[in-house]
Amino acid sequence: PGANVHTPTHPPRPLPMDLSTLWYLLAAVLILAGLAGVVLPALPGLPLMFGGMLLAAWAEGFERIGALALGLLGLLTLLSLAVDLLASALGARRVGAGPLAVWGAALGTLAGLWFGPLGLLLGPFVGALAGELWHTRALLHAAHVGLATWLGLLLGAVLKLALAFAMLGLFVLAWFF
């Protein structure tokens, strides 16, 4: 007849956060950091975005984001890396820049981080100008190289931003449709 049923005297402890929620949060952080990295040269923007999207796909068991969508996202990421490498080099090489100008543009970009948006805009130009001036000692040529390198970097940033939004659009389409 009577089973000895014990009722707890205190309420049950709350369940820990679902682990998939943690994965989704981490994926969102990676995607947002990647989006910031499109503009900030110190972060690998689109590879971070791809990593976040891959993590989100994995967290949901690849049911919404399949191999085709991940393959396309991966190709867009590889394309962004090619844009990164080629944009400034092509801009600089078209006007006969030396390797010091390319290195100067990269260092100027990093130094420009410390000076906010104006530093990000002027850093690559000043760095390329300084590098080429050190190499050739010709101010007019160095200014021309600095401008071409800066325009190459700007074009690269615009292309990477377009690729980032294409990736986001593809990811959202694959997720919801």
Side-chain angles (χ1 to χ4, degrees), residues 54-68:
L54 180 63
L55 181 59
W58 174 79
E60 58 88 30
F62 299 102
E63 291 178 22
R64 294 179 182 167
I65 308 292
L68 179 62

Side-chain angles (χ1 to χ4, degrees), residues 20 23-24 26-28 30-31 49-71 73 171 174-175:
S20 65
W23 294 126
Y24 288 132
L26 182 57
L30 286 172
I31 291 169
M49 285 181 67
F50 178 74
M53 292 172 182
L54 180 63
L55 181 59
W58 174 79
E60 58 88 30
F62 299 102
E63 291 178 22
R64 294 179 182 167
I65 308 292
L68 179 62
L70 285 172
L73 290 168
F171 183 79
W175 189 271

